[in-house]
Amino acid sequence: MSTPLKNRYDFVLIFDVKDGNPNGDPDAGNLPRVDPETGCGLVTDVCLKRKIRNYVQLTQNEGDAQKSFDIYVKEKAVLGRSHVEAFRALGIELGEAGTEAVPTAEETERGREWMCKKFYDIRTFGAVMSLRSAPNCGQVRGPVQMTFSRSVDPIVTLEHSITRMAVATEAEAEKQGGDNRTMGRKSTVPYGLYVGYGFVSAHLAAQTGFDEKDLSILWEALKSMFEHDRSAARGMMATRKLVVFKHASALGNAPAHELFDLVKISRNEMEKPARAFSDYSVVIDDANLPQGVELIELV
């Protein structure tokens, strides 16, 4: 039996990258995302949610009779197929192609509830499921929200020339005249320490069915998601700190920004560029923790 969420949570995620591209920008030739005014690196919330989804899909057993941990937004998914599956499982008539019938408000609500039970990412992050080409399953506002992550210091983006000792087609081979080498580019950040913030609403969790088990899976994903997301492009990435503030009530006992200000990050030596996590100090001012808020260091 699931245990409903009774507390609000706010959390700070601190992670780093070494000799890799943490989040390429497709509008800028896949260069690492940068705030142009400050030079600080950025990693989008969507990027981190993708890693959480992948971790849950990799680690969770979908055979749970009461609740599934399937993922709605996954690679190469056709989202409308899940809507059709939901309505058929509920015994709601859809028509021959599965998209003709317009569901009633009551049927849409039943579809929304089914989708929340079936898919971990819907009951966690929410989803817009009012697709034009599929049965309407409504909209879900998820209890877990995350901000962009921003590097503590400005980052340096390096571009490296790389060589492939082969070509793809016979035409390319003839054009190269036997020298079957092709050139490419690879962008990396020598080192960057990033900080992102997140929020867990007990009120919204009650609406989607996000419970204590789902929350524990979220913490595990935030701690371990980079371990299962390795690639040559990303270099070395790791979660360095996960600081959770647990409120004594569902509505919360202190503003989130005041809690986040208790986590202070500073460079140990300003004379040389940072190239490792040990070049920084992370201090949590727990002496000024507001009443009714518990500090939990998960990493």
Side-chain angles (χ1 to χ4, degrees), residues 210-269:
F210 183 88
D211 58 20
E212 290 287 349
K213 182 177 180 180
D214 292 326
L215 183 67
S216 66
I217 292 172
L218 174 68
W219 299 146
E220 287 300 319
L222 289 169
K223 290 190 294 182
S224 304
M225 59 187 177
F226 296 116
E227 298 299 321
H228 306 282
D229 190 57
R230 302 296 185 192
S231 77
R234 294 188 182 93
M236 277 292 296
M237 295 188 68
T239 296
R240 294 295 188 168
K241 282 280 185 182
L242 178 57
V243 181
V244 177
F245 297 98
K246 179 180 180 180
H247 296 256
S249 65
L251 294 179
N253 299 79
H257 69 274
E258 292 184 4
L259 301 177
F260 297 153
D261 286 344
L262 299 177
V263 182
K264 305 180 186 301
I265 304 174
S266 60
R267 282 264 296 280
N268 296 330
E269 296 182 44

Side-chain angles (χ1 to χ4, degrees), residues 25-299:
D25 184 351
D27 289 330
N30 209 44
L31 290 170
R33 296 180 188 270
V34 176
D35 178 343
E37 292 188 317
T38 65
C40 291
L42 298 174
V43 173
T44 66
D45 60 319
V46 176
C47 174
L48 296 180
K49 287 177 182 178
R50 176 75 271 151
K51 298 181 194 306
I52 294 170
R53 286 183 169 99
N54 290 346
Y55 178 86
V56 173
Q57 187 176 359
L58 179 67
T59 61
Q60 297 306 308
N61 181 6
E62 297 180 12
D64 191 322
Q66 299 299 320
K67 181 182 291 184
S68 175
F69 293 91
D70 201 357
I71 297 300
Y72 177 62
V73 182
K74 53 189 172 186
E75 187 177 0
K76 298 181 180 179
V78 179
L79 301 180
R81 292 175 182 171
S82 299
H83 297 218
V84 174
E85 180 187 358
F87 275 58
R88 286 178 176 167
L90 294 169
I92 299 173
E93 187 64 35
L94 296 173
E96 293 184 5
T99 61
E100 291 86 345
V102 177
T104 64
E106 185 271 339
E107 290 172 338
T108 294
E109 178 60 21
R110 289 173 61 194
R112 188 196 71 83
E113 292 176 356
W114 190 94
M115 296 288 278
C116 285
K117 291 179 181 178
K118 172 74 172 176
F119 297 104
Y120 178 85
D121 55 337
I122 291 179
R123 63 178 180 270
T124 303
F125 303 127
V128 176
M129 299 177 290
S130 51
L131 306 180
R132 291 183 179 180
S133 58
N136 181 11
C137 290
Q139 299 184 18
V140 177
R141 185 179 175 191
V144 179
Q145 300 300 330
M146 301 174 70
T147 67
F148 276 32
S149 297
R150 179 180 292 269
S151 66
V152 176
D153 293 315
I155 62 169
V156 175
T157 298
L158 300 181
E159 285 195 81
H160 311 272
S161 295
I162 55 177
T163 306
R164 182 177 67 177
M165 304 303 293
V167 293
T169 65
E170 292 291 344
E172 285 183 285
E174 292 178 8
K175 185 177 180 180
Q176 295 280 46
D179 184 13
N180 292 351
R181 290 184 295 180
T182 53
M183 302 296 293
R185 306 287 288 176
K186 183 175 183 178
S187 301
T188 64
V189 175
Y191 185 79
L193 185 65
Y194 290 75
V195 182
Y197 303 102
F199 318 89
V200 184
S201 165
H203 172 70
L204 293 175
Q207 296 181 19
T208 69
F210 183 88
D211 58 20
E212 290 287 349
K213 182 177 180 180
D214 292 326
L215 183 67
S216 66
I217 292 172
L218 174 68
W219 299 146
E220 287 300 319
L222 289 169
K223 290 190 294 182
S224 304
M225 59 187 177
F226 296 116
E227 298 299 321
H228 306 282
D229 190 57
R230 302 296 185 192
S231 77
R234 294 188 182 93
M236 277 292 296
M237 295 188 68
T239 296
R240 294 295 188 168
K241 282 280 185 182
L242 178 57
V243 181
V244 177
F245 297 98
K246 179 180 180 180
H247 296 256
S249 65
L251 294 179
N253 299 79
H257 69 274
E258 292 184 4
L259 301 177
F260 297 153
D261 286 344
L262 299 177
V263 182
K264 305 180 186 301
I265 304 174
S266 60
R267 282 264 296 280
N268 296 330
E269 296 182 44
M270 296 301 296
E271 295 77 18
K272 64 176 185 178
R275 288 295 182 266
F277 181 62
S278 57
D279 292 332
Y280 290 88
S281 293
V282 180
V283 178
I284 303 173
D285 185 12
D286 53 359
N288 290 313
L289 196 67
Q291 186 175 4
V293 178
E294 177 186 357
L295 172 67
I296 307 172
E297 292 188 61
L298 294 179
V299 177

